[in-house]
Amino acid sequence: MHVDTMSPTKAWTLFALTVVFLYFKNWMQYGGKKLKVRGAKMLKNKKLNYNIWMLWFVPFIILGLAYIVFQAT
């Protein structure tokens, strides 16, 4: 760091303090109430709805793609 306004030792100290502050801030933000609220919202949106027609056609699609790849070789 070639800066005239701050010595290298002070710059590294400022960098380390900033890193510690950001780490602590993120830990507090995502380790508390916001994490619980976000987790509850994700559980509500986790309903898996599969279309029955898609489940029936997937094996045929895979067999068709396998046939095309087999013909290409």
Side-chain angles (χ1 to χ4, degrees), residues 45-62:
N45 296 335
K46 236 182 182 174
K47 296 177 184 174
L48 297 175
N49 294 328
Y50 292 113
N51 188 357
I52 190 69
W53 296 108
M54 184 60 75
L55 290 175
W56 277 102
F57 285 124
V58 165
F60 295 113
I61 293 170
I62 291 173

Side-chain angles (χ1 to χ4, degrees), residues 6-30:
M6 191 180 296
S7 70
T9 305
K10 289 182 182 179
W12 282 110
T13 305
L14 181 63
F15 175 74
L17 288 174
T18 305
V19 167
V20 169
F21 171 74
L22 289 175
Y23 181 77
F24 183 73
K25 181 179 168 272
N26 285 335
W27 174 59
M28 292 300 289
Q29 183 175 2
Y30 294 112

Side-chain angles (χ1 to χ4, degrees), residues 28-39:
M28 292 300 289
Q29 183 175 2
Y30 294 112
K33 186 177 179 182
K34 286 186 180 181
L35 180 67
K36 291 179 184 176
V37 170
R38 192 177 65 192

Side-chain angles (χ1 to χ4, degrees), residues 63-73:
L63 288 174
L65 290 173
Y67 178 75
I68 291 170
V69 170
F70 180 71
Q71 293 296 321
T73 57

